[in-house]
Amino acid sequence: MLKSGWIALAVMAAVVPAHAQTVPQALDAEALDQVGIGRFAEPSERALLPVLATALMERESKERLAALDALLAKLDRPTRLRGIVQSLRGTMLLDEYRHPEALAAVEEAIRLAPGVPPVRLYAVHVMIFAGAPQRAADLWLAMSREYPAIAAGLGGYELDTLRDRLRDIGDNKRADALSARIVEVGVVTHSGPRASDGALAQIRLRMVEGKIAEAAALVPAVLVTRDLAQLYLDRRYEKLWPAIARWGGQDLGLSQKLYLEALRRDWHASNTLEGATDYARALNGMRAYAAVTQLFLPLLAPEALKLDNDGAEYLAPPVARAMLGQGKAEPAIALLKRVDATFTEDTAQKLNLSGNLAETYLAIGRYAEASATASEWLVIAQRMGAEINKAALIGVQAIRACALIRGGKADQAGGDVADVLISRTGLPDPAMDIYACRDDFAGGKALMIESLNDEHRRGWALRWLQPSGVNLPFEESRRSDRFQKRIAADPDVRAAAEKVGRILPMTVIERLPDGFDPMAPADLHAPDQEAPPVS
């Protein structure tokens, strides 16, 4: 993620020649000239450059913000330097969860310093996390055409978050345009899922344009089998089905093997908890729970976290879920609580852990603890505002609502249920969870048919209807499985599904593919991939 303070100077350096791109050890007016900020100051403003340098050297974000506020009062004319200062203030206001002020600051920065590309980069960052994803996407897409190298500097985490937030609000058109452009620009990343989403977006665009052969040539780039399944089940892409079957196998097992091998290589190559998380999540999807705990639980041992806990908040939930998959509820809860304790402040990291803890309590039928944990989560999330993405917010509201309903307090769940169902266009999964929790067959059936008729939700609906098994060895999971099978067997639902897609006779991507050993060492040499023919 982009950081406020002196790192901003390194970003600003992108606007000056390569020989001048140095970040000095001590910041002063001369230093600001070296990294490019000084060249945007008018003669009458140069006396304020040391003040800016001093402000950026403050240790605490609040102190830096106070210093920049004081500086801004002196920059009382519409100049580029004021725009740069507003850009820096925007990131610091974001750190303080003052989202409306942050958005106002970066909007002014764009107006005053349109010729300073990093100002726009910082504006995109602020907009992503302050609740303006559509504005952020439009700004980044425009910037990627004018300054592609600088646009790529935003980084994979921000762009992933932006794409996800667009999908959360149902803006799949912008999300696809963003994903396709990320691939074209070449954002540096080891993430298979990110590249796969970009290839999927490009295939959709090629199919709309009638370029079937070009779309088929991109099939090998769709690494994530779940993404490939979207094409394999949807009749809009029926002309690609033979090519997909040759590449991925009739049950997509070949594709799944390639995906798991790639994730394993990425994990070993990066040697990070982030890389481990992607692999753990994929193995969980294959119900390889024992492999997940054997491989990754040691990485979360107390002595390991003392050395490095960066990314532990992402790895702990799939490892805890693997424990649940083996019927080990208490160790799963203990793991989430222990990793949570390594983060001392109320941050997004802690919310990621406590949200999963609430979900775990619900899964094992401890409804009072699930609703209490979810309520605590929602209080903190409200304080953090737009930095918390809508999918997480609605997901936790669904957990609390279901815990209240199943715990005999349905009269207290009305507000959460309303919020979840209103958001079903962009987030159908939590809505279906509510219907399953209430055993509301009519509501679930209506949502499924509605989603099948909506081209943006159709992929989700077709995947949801495919043959599946019980996920976790607890009654809540068995209840959900029975509900899913009732919906999938309904004649009206099946007719609607067959009209726009298909329901396969076998499960896909729910078991380890033949010939894949999750415990085997990684082969760091990826196989050559050739595009399958169209027919």
Side-chain angles (χ1 to χ4, degrees):
M1 294 176 62
L2 295 172
K3 304 291 185 181
S4 57
W6 69 267
I7 297 178
L9 303 181
V11 178
M12 291 295 179
V15 302
V16 300
H19 69 270
Q21 292 184 17
T22 58
V23 180
Q25 298 301 310
L27 295 176
D28 53 21
E30 182 180 354
L32 291 175
D33 274 337
Q34 286 182 329
V35 296
I37 293 181
R39 65 193 288 256
F40 296 109
E42 295 185 357
S44 61
E45 296 173 325
R46 294 192 62 81
L48 296 176
L49 292 179
V51 179
L52 175 56
T54 300
L56 294 177
M57 286 299 289
E58 294 287 355
R59 290 184 177 275
E60 299 296 329
S61 177
K62 289 184 178 180
E63 294 172 354
R64 288 196 299 272
L65 180 57
L68 288 180
D69 286 344
L71 176 59
L72 191 70
K74 298 177 182 178
L75 293 167
D76 55 0
R77 294 185 302 111
T79 65
R80 288 183 297 178
L81 185 60
R82 180 183 169 94
I84 291 171
V85 169
Q86 283 284 51
S87 177
L88 299 175
R89 282 185 73 248
T91 64
M92 296 174 199
L93 288 164
L94 183 67
D95 289 343
E96 300 296 323
Y97 308 121
R98 294 162 60 179
H99 296 142
E101 294 172 80
L103 289 171
V106 296
E107 287 287 1
E108 181 180 311
I110 294 169
R111 292 194 299 271
L112 297 181
V116 185
V119 164
R120 280 189 268 175
L121 198 68
Y122 270 76
V124 171
H125 170 81
V126 169
M127 291 169 183
I128 292 171
F129 295 101
Q134 292 168 307
R135 171 76 166 128
D138 292 345
L139 193 60
W140 188 87
L141 287 167
M143 187 177 179
S144 74
R145 292 185 286 270
E146 193 173 355
Y147 304 102
I150 296 176
L154 185 63
Y157 175 80
E158 282 86 352
L159 291 170
D160 280 352
T161 301
L162 176 55
R163 184 196 63 226
D164 291 345
R165 293 189 174 198
L166 289 169
R167 296 206 190 283
D168 287 351
I169 60 175
D171 195 342
N172 292 286
K173 183 177 181 180
R174 273 191 177 89
D176 280 349
L178 181 73
S179 289
R181 186 58 181 157
I182 287 170
V183 173
E184 294 169 356
V185 169
V187 176
V188 178
T189 175
H190 75 273
S191 170
R194 187 178 303 123
S196 180
D197 189 82
L200 182 64
Q202 289 185 315
I203 287 174
R204 288 181 180 135
L205 294 174
R206 299 296 187 279
M207 292 296 288
V208 169
E209 296 166 354
K211 300 176 179 178
I212 310 301
E214 290 185 21
L218 289 167
V219 165
V222 183
L223 183 62
V224 181
T225 315
R226 182 185 64 253
D227 292 343
L228 201 60
Q230 289 192 41
L231 305 175
Y232 198 48
L233 302 173
D234 191 327
R235 291 200 184 279
R236 287 175 294 179
Y237 309 104
E238 190 169 0
K239 291 182 179 179
L240 297 180
W241 288 356
I244 293 171
R246 277 191 294 275
W247 178 257
Q250 291 292 336
D251 64 351
L252 302 183
L254 295 175
S255 170
Q256 189 67 15
K257 186 170 183 286
L258 287 172
Y259 179 44
L260 291 171
E261 288 172 344
L263 291 178
R264 181 167 57 191
R265 280 193 302 273
D266 287 348
W267 170 41
H268 283 276
S270 68
N271 195 30
T272 63
L273 297 186
E274 179 186 359
T277 299
D278 289 338
Y279 188 33
R281 286 172 176 164
L283 290 176
N284 269 349
M286 304 296 100
R287 317 296 169 87
Y289 299 128
V292 172
T293 53
Q294 188 173 343
L295 285 169
F296 304 116
L297 188 55
L299 302 182
L300 298 170
E303 57 272 18
L305 294 182
K306 287 179 182 178
L307 297 174
D308 181 15
N309 72 343
D310 186 22
E313 71 274 20
Y314 300 116
L315 180 59
V319 174
R321 188 167 186 82
M323 290 176 165
L324 284 180
Q326 299 170 80
K328 301 175 181 178
E330 292 305 323
I333 291 169
L335 174 65
L336 290 171
K337 288 183 174 181
R338 178 168 59 77
V339 176
D340 179 83
T342 65
F343 299 94
T344 57
E345 299 180 359
D346 289 337
T347 61
Q349 288 96 330
K350 285 182 75 69
L351 286 183
N352 195 57
L353 292 157
S354 60
N356 278 275
L357 181 60
E359 185 178 23
T360 300
Y361 282 136
L362 177 61
I364 63 176
R366 288 164 61 171
Y367 306 122
E369 289 160 291
S371 61
T373 304
S375 293
E376 292 172 7
W377 190 100
L378 290 164
V379 168
I380 298 170
Q382 185 176 23
R383 187 162 64 244
M384 297 177 71
E387 184 162 338
I388 305 303
N389 68 65
K390 186 178 180 181
L393 187 67
I394 295 299
V396 174
Q397 284 188 277
I399 290 169
R400 183 169 68 177
C402 189
L404 290 169
I405 292 167
R406 301 284 294 127
K409 299 179 179 179
D411 58 315
Q412 299 178 26
D416 286 334
V417 169
D419 287 344
V420 172
L421 296 184
I422 288 171
S423 302
R424 68 185 184 277
T425 300
L427 299 166
D429 252 326
M432 188 61 82
D433 289 343
I434 290 293
Y435 290 128
C437 184
R438 299 195 302 190
D439 199 25
D440 182 353
F441 177 79
K445 175 181 174 178
L447 173 62
M448 184 52 57
I449 293 175
E450 173 188 305
S451 298
L452 287 166
N453 291 327
D454 180 350
E455 63 179 22
H456 296 305
R457 283 181 283 170
R458 186 173 301 156
W460 166 82
L462 289 168
R463 289 197 311 273
W464 195 90
L465 289 171
Q466 299 307 308
S468 181
V470 177
N471 195 3
L472 300 174
F474 299 97
E475 179 56 27
E476 283 299 325
S477 187
R478 288 188 283 268
R479 282 172 52 87
S480 295
D481 181 65
R482 291 193 295 269
F483 187 79
Q484 188 271 343
K485 284 178 168 55
R486 285 179 63 202
I487 296 290
D490 181 82
D492 295 334
V493 170
R494 294 189 74 86
E498 292 295 339
K499 184 177 179 180
V500 298
R502 58 178 174 172
I503 300 175
L504 298 176
M506 67 290 193
T507 61
V508 292
I509 59 177
E510 278 199 2
R511 64 177 182 83
L512 286 174
D514 294 338
F516 181 79
D517 178 4
M519 306 301 297
D523 178 4
L524 298 181
H525 299 284
D528 293 333
Q529 297 188 5
E530 295 181 0
V534 177
S535 59

